[in-house]
């Protein structure tokens, strides 16, 4: 499967991107108005890692959170 961490299963997340215009009330304006909402995808930060286990070598796509932790060792 593409764009999925092979250790923890973290994958893409769908979020709303909110576009606003105007000046905030605290800055002396009349308030921010929402002019559009579109869905966007946030992808995990995947890196290719080569692991050696005995004689065998594994190539995995791992997110950086798993890479930083001792989860891969």
């Amino acid at each position: 499967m593409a764009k999925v961490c092979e250790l923890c299963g973290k994958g893409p997340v769908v979020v709303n991107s909110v576009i606003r215009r105007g000046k905030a009330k605290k800055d002396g304006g009349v308030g921010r108005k929402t002019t559009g909402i579109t869905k966007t995808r946030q992808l995990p930060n995947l890196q290719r890692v080569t692991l050696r286990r005995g004689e065998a070598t594994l190539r995995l796509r791992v997110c950086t959170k798993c890479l930083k932790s001792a989860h891969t060792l």
Side-chain angles (χ1 to χ4, degrees):
M1 254 162 88
K3 299 176 182 165
V4 175
C5 176
E6 295 180 6
L7 292 179
C8 67
K10 180 188 289 187
V13 178
V14 177
V15 296
N16 285 330
S17 175
V18 180
I19 308 299
R20 292 186 175 99
R21 68 180 183 91
K23 194 171 184 180
K25 284 188 177 183
K26 69 176 184 178
D27 293 333
V30 295
R32 305 269 311 209
K33 306 294 191 293
T34 301
T35 59
I37 299 175
T38 58
K39 288 184 181 279
T40 60
R41 290 177 68 193
Q42 291 181 348
L43 302 176
N45 187 2
L46 297 178
Q47 305 294 324
R48 286 199 179 267
V49 177
T50 304
L51 297 176
R52 291 186 188 147
R53 297 224 172 151
E55 297 287 323
T57 59
L58 297 171
R59 288 188 66 190
L60 300 173
R61 296 184 73 184
V62 180
C63 68
T64 53
K65 193 169 185 178
C66 291
L67 195 60
K68 283 175 70 174
S69 68
H71 197 207
T72 59
L73 302 175

